[in-house]
């Protein structure tokens, strides 16, 4: 595991032990291996498809009491090890999956990204995307659309000159500056590539390089605003971008939403970076 993942796991175990030593657990539970063993037993039960909506039934299946079951569920939710679903059910959380993937060396960027982008899209009610670079192009890997109207030609598999769109710029901007002109020229085979001059593209990339989160206000698709933030792997390389897009009229109507959307995008990018082992 990376240092970051080890720290996360140690922190989680410490929280579990803190409950154990606060005197809140019953003596018969102590004889069954301690809080950490009970937590792992509960995780294994959920991973196997066990239901959590009925605390009494859950306690019987896992071999713990109802109070312990309720406390463990709440703690595992808070730590991102379990994710609450409608009707009181649970599934294994993204953070736990990240720990497992890191330990096994089998990170699934698209799988984790799809779940996080879906949560982001639901949170901000904008369309959510995950993008990666392929040479001079930004390629859309994931798209989640909320129940709101948005007219956009972007779909999974779309390839766009990276410097033209917010998620592409936050990625291209983190490449060496001396590579920008070559990438710009390589994108000129796309008819959209010449929309801006290299000098204009360079200025946008320099601006994006200094920002955690990059905005585009109707520059690529008229009437559509977008916000994007980079995702980093364990080596510190920007390997993908998380992005949302919505009608320009939405921010014009509620400008206060801009800061909330930006923080949600940044938080999602950080969470996915953590899954990939970024410190």
């Amino acid at each position: 595991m990376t240092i970051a993942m080890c720290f996360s796991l140690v922190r989680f175990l410490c929280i579990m032990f803190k409950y154990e030593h606060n005197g809140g657990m019953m003596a018969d539970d102590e004889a069954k291996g301690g809080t950490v063993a009970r937590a792992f037993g509960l995780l294994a039960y959920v991973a196997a498809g066990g239901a959590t909506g009925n605390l009494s039934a859950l306690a019987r299946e896992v071999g713990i009491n109802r109070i312990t079951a309720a406390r463990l569920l709440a703690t595992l939710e808070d730590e991102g090890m379990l994710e609450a679903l409608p009707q009181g059910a649970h599934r294994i959380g993204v953070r736990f999956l990240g720990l497992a993937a890191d330990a096994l060396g089998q990170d699934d960027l698209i799988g984790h990204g799809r779940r996080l982008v879906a949560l982001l899209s639901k949170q901000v009610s904008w369309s959510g995307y995950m993008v990666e670079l392929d040479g001079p192009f930004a390629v859309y890997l994931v798209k989640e659309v909320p129940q709101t109207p948005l007219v956009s030609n972007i779909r999974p598999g779309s390839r766009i000159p990276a410097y033209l769109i917010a998620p592409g710029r936050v990625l291209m901007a983190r490449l060496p500056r001396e590579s920008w002109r070559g990438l710009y020229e390589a994108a000129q085979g796309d008819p959209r590539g010449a929309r801006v001059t290299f000098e204009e593209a360079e200025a946008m990339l320099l601006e994006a390089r200094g920002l955690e989160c990059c905005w585009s206000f109707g520059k690529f698709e008229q009437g559509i605003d977008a916000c994007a933030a980079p995702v980093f792997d364990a080596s510190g390389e920007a390997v993908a971008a998380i992005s949302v897009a919505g009608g320009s009229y939405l921010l014009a109507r509620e400008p206060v939403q801009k800061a909330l959307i930006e923080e949600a995008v940044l938080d999602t990018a950080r969470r996915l970076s953590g899954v990939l082992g970024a410190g």
Side-chain angles (χ1 to χ4, degrees):
M1 286 190 180
T2 65
I3 293 175
M5 288 297 183
C6 286
F7 177 80
S8 295
L9 184 55
V10 168
R11 180 171 177 267
F12 168 65
L13 295 179
C14 286
I15 288 173
M16 292 290 97
F17 279 118
K18 180 170 70 176
Y19 277 103
E20 188 169 40
H21 290 291
N22 276 345
M25 302 302 177
M26 297 180 66
D28 62 330
D29 283 337
E30 295 296 331
K32 297 175 184 177
T35 308
V36 174
R38 292 193 298 274
F40 287 151
L42 179 53
L43 286 168
Y45 172 76
V46 173
T52 59
N54 185 314
L55 277 180
S56 296
L58 167 64
R60 286 196 303 272
E61 290 292 329
V62 181
I64 56 180
N65 64 68
R66 292 179 74 257
I67 295 175
T68 299
R71 287 175 173 169
L72 286 177
L73 282 175
T75 302
L76 291 166
E77 277 188 49
D78 288 343
E79 290 301 303
M81 299 294 173
L82 288 179
E83 180 181 332
L85 297 172
Q87 291 82 46
H90 290 81
R91 67 180 177 186
I92 295 297
V94 170
R95 189 174 179 193
F96 185 89
L97 292 174
L99 289 171
D102 187 74
L104 296 172
Q106 296 177 347
D107 295 327
D108 181 358
L109 175 62
I110 295 179
H112 296 318
R114 183 173 288 112
R115 290 177 64 178
L116 287 170
V117 168
L119 292 172
L120 171 64
S121 178
K122 182 177 180 181
Q123 178 183 353
V124 302
S125 297
W126 281 30
S127 292
Y129 306 92
M130 187 172 73
V131 174
E132 70 175 6
L133 283 184
D134 181 15
F137 297 100
V139 181
Y140 282 79
L141 303 177
V142 171
K143 178 180 180 179
E144 291 288 339
V145 181
Q147 297 301 312
T148 56
L150 176 66
V151 179
S152 173
N153 294 318
I154 301 298
R155 58 182 57 85
S158 293
R159 294 167 58 85
I160 300 168
Y163 52 84
L164 291 180
I165 56 175
R169 284 200 292 277
V170 296
L171 294 174
M172 187 171 168
R174 283 160 174 81
L175 297 176
R177 185 175 178 181
E178 56 269 23
S179 69
W180 293 354
R181 182 176 288 277
L183 291 171
Y184 173 85
E185 292 174 352
Q188 297 313 295
D190 186 297
R192 298 164 295 187
R195 285 188 184 182
V196 301
T197 66
F198 172 70
E199 288 71 26
E200 291 169 330
E202 185 178 42
M204 290 191 292
L205 291 168
L206 286 171
E207 179 183 15
R209 173 175 274 189
L211 300 173
E212 279 191 299
C213 208
C214 177
W215 279 90
S216 176
F217 299 102
K219 289 185 177 180
F220 181 71
E221 292 183 292
Q222 187 174 8
I224 296 178
D225 296 340
C227 176
V231 173
F232 300 95
D233 65 10
S235 70
E237 180 182 356
V239 294
I242 296 294
S243 177
V244 295
S248 300
Y249 70 91
L250 296 170
L251 288 185
R253 187 174 62 195
E254 296 184 77
V256 69
Q257 293 296 316
K258 180 175 181 291
L260 299 177
I261 289 170
E262 182 170 320
E263 184 54 39
V265 170
L266 282 169
D267 180 64
T268 302
R270 291 173 187 140
R271 290 178 66 187
L272 186 52
S273 297
V275 166
L276 299 181

